[in-house]
Amino acid sequence: MLTLLRTNGEFRRLFMAHSVSRAGDAFNTVALVVLVFDLTGTGLGVAGAVMFEVLPVLLLGPVAGLAADRLPRRRLMVGADAVRTAVALVLVAFAPSVGVAYAVAFGLSAGAVLFNPAAGSLLPEVVDEDDVVTANSAMWTTSVTAQIALAPLAGFVIAAWGVEVAFAVNAATFAISGLLLIGLQAGRTPADIAVRGWAGVLAGVQTVRADPLLTRLAIVQVLASLSAGATSGLLVVLADRWLGVGAGGFGTLLAAIGAGAAAGPLLLRRFITASDKRWLFGPFAVRGGVDLTLAAVANPIVAGGALVAYGMSTSTGMVAYQSTLQTLVPAETRGRAFAFYDVLWNSARLLSLAVGGVLVDIIDIRLVYVVSAGLLFAAAAVGLTTHIPTQPGTDD
């Protein structure tokens, strides 16, 4: 990782922009859910905030994927950072309310919908194919290290000075990220797309359907999102009602996830391989076991340890997922393929949140985590029991 950062100036700039932006996100993640939970006092209210984060993906995702392939990716990323800077400042300028919080959640997500397919598609233009897994590992390790360091701090800052400070920090990091990205040389030229209109939008879907590994991955992503949508969005409820640790403890739980996510790529980088179903699907089984532990044990220390394992499995699986798409999908359809997976993930996530938000208020937060575990075990089984080549043109 360090060698790549020293020798590749373009990747170093992209890495720095990504790192500073994700540092601000650590504040935003805690601030938004704590604000909505304080204002509404219900799990359904928290689920509503996350639903407003999901809606832009469903409404704008396909078009954003096409934009990532048709427009210069660097320009699209800089514009998205500018939008997110302005949106984050809304909660600094206006008195917090449920309506304002939902609007900010929607606006920040809309900026991310434009940013993410372009960023995921740009990385293979910045590093060699042999360095894609290393580059993704470095990006993820830095992101979650910021979460480790800043999520607990965010909880205490919010308790002392309010959510406005957290959103001001997030706005500043988006601005810095945009300024760093302006200097990139890569991503200045759009892909040459012959097919336009809806046929162009659907080209990413066709790319996924043409490859058995990518098709299987799409099915598993839906099952996993039906699980993770509710549990990730309602972790603040679990922290308050089952573990009894409150807002400060919620930040610490996020930091535990971050600790595991940082350790995963650092410890296991040499073993992670793009297109290997063990790394793509195995982590879902680990996460299923974590959800069962969280549902069964009310001890915050046990929960924190389980969430470290959750973070390790999530980060290693995500590195394998990102690297697989970046190496298997052609450059001219890469943005649309990323957007297609985002739409699948967030459609299932929206359904999961709606059901989970109702269950947590009328039954028990633990039931949400038990159902989640079953879905994750199913996702692992679907992926791991299917014969898929580990490399294009070769057999397991």
Side-chain angles (χ1 to χ4, degrees):
M1 294 182 190
L2 293 178
T3 301
L4 184 60
L5 286 169
R6 285 197 305 266
T7 59
N8 188 326
E10 283 282 275
F11 174 67
R12 184 166 58 248
R13 183 175 288 272
L14 182 63
F15 173 83
M16 290 171 62
H18 174 83
S19 300
V20 71
S21 177
R22 293 305 295 266
D25 286 344
F27 271 76
N28 175 71
T29 298
V30 179
L32 189 61
V33 293
V34 169
L35 172 62
V36 174
F37 192 54
D38 284 346
L39 291 171
T40 66
T42 68
L44 192 58
V46 174
V50 184
M51 287 178 187
F52 273 95
E53 294 178 338
V54 172
L55 285 175
V57 182
L58 306 184
L59 297 174
L60 303 176
V63 177
L66 181 61
D69 290 332
R70 286 191 61 183
L71 301 176
R73 287 164 178 160
R74 180 191 63 88
R75 184 188 305 169
L76 195 61
M77 293 163 67
V78 171
D81 273 339
V83 169
R84 293 190 287 181
T85 300
V87 171
L89 288 173
V90 169
L91 263 174
V92 180
F94 296 93
S97 67
V98 176
V100 171
Y102 285 174
V104 168
F106 185 94
L108 290 176
S109 178
V113 168
L114 294 173
F115 187 94
N116 291 338
S121 302
L122 182 64
L123 184 64
E125 298 180 34
V126 174
V127 301
D128 296 332
E129 183 173 335
D130 291 342
D131 291 324
V132 167
V133 172
T134 299
N136 279 312
S137 297
M139 303 274 268
W140 268 92
T141 298
T142 302
S143 297
V144 297
T145 299
Q147 185 175 331
I148 297 169
L150 297 177
L153 177 62
F156 293 116
V157 166
I158 292 165
W161 295 292
V163 296
E164 294 86 355
V165 174
F167 281 101
V169 170
N170 202 24
T173 60
F174 284 134
I176 295 170
S177 171
L179 291 173
L180 287 168
L181 291 171
I182 288 174
L184 276 177
Q185 297 303 311
R188 294 174 179 261
T189 304
D192 183 15
I193 300 176
V195 181
R196 302 181 186 274
W198 278 110
V201 171
L202 294 175
V205 180
Q206 294 164 357
T207 298
V208 172
R209 291 181 61 186
D211 187 283
L213 176 57
L214 296 178
T215 300
R216 183 62 55 176
L217 184 58
I219 295 170
V220 169
Q221 287 284 300
V222 171
L223 287 171
S225 182
L226 287 172
S227 159
T231 55
S232 61
L234 297 172
L235 181 60
V236 66
V237 182
L238 184 84
D240 183 73
R241 296 184 182 176
W242 176 238
L243 300 177
V245 294
F250 170 58
T252 303
L253 292 177
L254 290 180
I257 298 174
L266 285 174
L267 297 176
L268 302 173
R269 158 62 194 96
R270 72 179 70 180
F271 306 109
I272 302 173
T273 305
S275 306
D276 188 330
K277 65 183 181 181
R278 293 168 298 182
W279 290 104
L280 285 169
F281 307 126
F284 295 122
V286 176
R287 289 161 57 184
V290 170
D291 280 351
L292 284 181
T293 301
L294 293 175
V297 181
N299 187 310
I301 296 176
V302 173
L307 288 172
V308 170
Y310 185 96
M312 290 187 68
S313 61
T314 298
S315 63
T316 53
M318 183 56 69
V319 167
Y321 161 76
Q322 290 274 112
S323 302
T324 297
L325 264 62
Q326 288 162 346
T327 54
L328 287 187
V329 179
E332 61 271 15
T333 58
R334 195 176 293 139
R336 283 163 286 178
F338 270 105
F340 173 59
Y341 279 104
D342 282 346
V343 170
L344 285 180
W345 177 270
N346 284 283
S347 297
R349 184 185 177 204
L350 186 62
L351 176 60
S352 176
L353 281 165
V355 175
V358 172
L359 288 178
V360 73
D361 286 330
I362 65 174
I363 305 178
D364 193 336
I365 182 63
R366 290 178 293 170
L367 177 62
V368 174
Y369 278 79
V370 171
V371 173
S372 170
L375 289 167
L376 287 168
F377 288 138
V382 168
L384 291 172
T385 59
T386 304
H387 179 75
I388 302 173
T390 57
Q391 298 289 341
T394 64
D395 292 332
D396 280 338

